[in-house]
Amino acid sequence: MSDSVVVEKSKLEERFPEAVIPDTRKGYSGFMVNPEDLIEVATALRDEMGYDFLASATAVDYLPDGKLEMVYHLHQSTGGSPLVLHVQTPREQPVIPSLVPVFPGADFQEREAWDLYGIKFSGHPDLRRILMWEGFEGFPMRKDWREGYFEEEGKPFKSRWPEGKIVRAETANPFGRNVDYPAGFNPETFTPSVETALYAGLANVEEPGDMGIHTEQVVVNLGPQHPSTHGVFRMVAKLDGETIVDLKPVMGYLHRNHEKIGERNTFLQNIPFTDRLDYFSSMSNNFGYVLAVEKLMGVKPPERAEYIRVMMAELTRIVNHVAAIGFLLNDLGAYFTPILYAFEERELILDIFEAVAGSRMMCNYYRFGGVARDLPDGTLDKVRDLVFDRLERKIDELELYITNNEIVRSRAEGVGVLTADQAIAYSTVGPVMRASGVPYDLRRADPYSIYDRFEFDVAVRYHGDVYDRYLIRIDEIRQSIRILKQVLDQMPEGPIQEGKPQYQVRVPAGESYGRVEGPKGELGFYIVSNGKANPWRYHVRAPSFINLTPLTVMCRGQKVADVVVILGSIDIVLGETDR
């Protein structure tokens, strides 16, 4: 724990002697806060102690204790370790004050906790389901919730191993489907719920247009089945002519309760499961998860494994950013020519991943205490050729065609502006945050692995528009190449795994938050272990999900065509957004 967090802890206890007490549970950190004091404590942390950035807010169901708990990870935007707040409420009538008035970035995260756990956040401006649909029965992340095909709480299921007696769950369901229906459900009389609250929440601006002519405002749905939304994502927009008056993002169409499945899996089974989040960045996904579990296990990887991990993470950043730039140009109307040029570099890096991990996208390469296997012969030479010879030259070519293109600049400059204060308040991370003038990068702000050994600059731009979100990714590719050159020059020999490879791990009881600076920003994994083979809580702090929180602010006053470009500049992947 950093000295700054220890100092702030003593200040916090002095400031709120009755409302705040240290969390003394074995393996836990931070403070227990009374629900009725949460707003005052959070405001003091933001205004008086510099904890102006809410990184993560998630719920945990402690069924044996009859409590639900919200866990908040607060950071200083200038850097340092997180401060953790725990707020508990009874399971029967769970109510906690909303932090949206203090940290607007809590908006979607609180809606997720309501949706999956049933915690009501008093004072929340728009408390609706966000991943499930309105009318869904129950709160699926609660420990006593059962899906239609429920077998056991934890894997491996006895029907699979060691007995090998597999029975299809559908055969035990009266409807013959892998679904569960509420008591008394009758398909003949069922009426689907309408999205009244969604449409009612759209603002209504009564001011006349620029020419003083009264125009009728209309509601238009963009998506979810539309290529411009980068997957099954929907935006409900209220328009005055072609101007966006208000906009609400709608997600969850790809939701598969990733975290519930993660709590059924063993700790080791979740490593390939993280590949399926941001499937453009599977190596980074592995990285964040294994760091969280290694904190609980007290394991440190060997030197060579650390260097290999950083190499794969920085290659992944390049893979993500060249694809994001290519897709952004698609959104601008330069159909497929730029993306094909960008994908050529991506494919060459995926050749490296395939050689090392055996897969191009679902890599499943990191392990607790190291990596799955060493680099095959000749791999470092291929990486060296890419890093020292090809990639910089190709990025120069990409910039030559795009950066000063008149159409790109006219469509991107001044569009979708997010100020520095807004970027912090709305909990944005990664290129979205740094393009708004906030030089916050976990590799510098709270270094993990061996990043403190490398020389590189935190890329930052100051206009907060679509154009700067494009430029920041170019800058970050160049810094990743700079890091990779140092990795290749310093790569040591030696083992790639601490101890023997394990097919089952026992993780000591406690909580852990592992986070990495992924290509899209802070990717965090909050893990709670009860000492058994399966995690009690497995939560993904998904940058694609939280970076959408300020989408409404970025789109108001813009044109319909601009909305597509603004969304593209955020760079989301729905596998991570919806989980």
Side-chain angles (χ1 to χ4, degrees), residues 38 88 134 147 252 260 263 271 316 324 420 439 493 497 528 544 557:
L38 177 61
Q88 293 190 335
E134 294 296 336
E147 64 271 31
K260 187 79 167 184
E263 291 173 11
I271 295 177
T316 297
E493 297 295 332
Q497 176 71 45
V528 175
S544 291

Side-chain angles (χ1 to χ4, degrees), residues 28 35 58 165 247 261 388 411 424 461 480 485 508 520 540 558:
Y28 285 71
T58 188
K165 298 177 182 177
L247 180 143
I261 299 171
F388 283 92
R411 289 291 311 281
I424 295 169
R461 297 275 174 166
S480 289
K485 288 179 178 179
K520 294 173 175 62
V540 183
Q558 304 292 327

Side-chain angles (χ1 to χ4, degrees), residues 40-115:
E40 187 181 2
V41 171
T43 303
L45 281 168
R46 183 194 66 186
D47 297 341
E48 300 173 22
M49 303 179 194
Y51 285 86
D52 54 351
F53 181 68
L54 174 67
S56 175
T58 188
V60 185
D61 182 7
Y62 290 103
L63 177 63
D65 301 329
K67 295 181 183 296
L68 294 171
E69 179 175 296
M70 280 298 294
V71 184
Y72 303 92
H73 288 84
L74 302 174
H75 307 296
Q76 296 170 322
S77 59
T78 53
S81 299
L83 184 70
V84 187
L85 302 181
H86 302 265
V87 182
Q88 293 190 335
T89 183
R91 292 182 88 251
E92 290 72 23
Q93 293 182 325
V95 180
I96 293 176
S98 172
L99 279 188
V100 172
V102 184
F103 296 106
D107 185 355
F108 287 6
Q109 299 180 76
E110 288 182 351
R111 284 179 59 191
E112 181 182 345
W114 155 248
D115 191 3

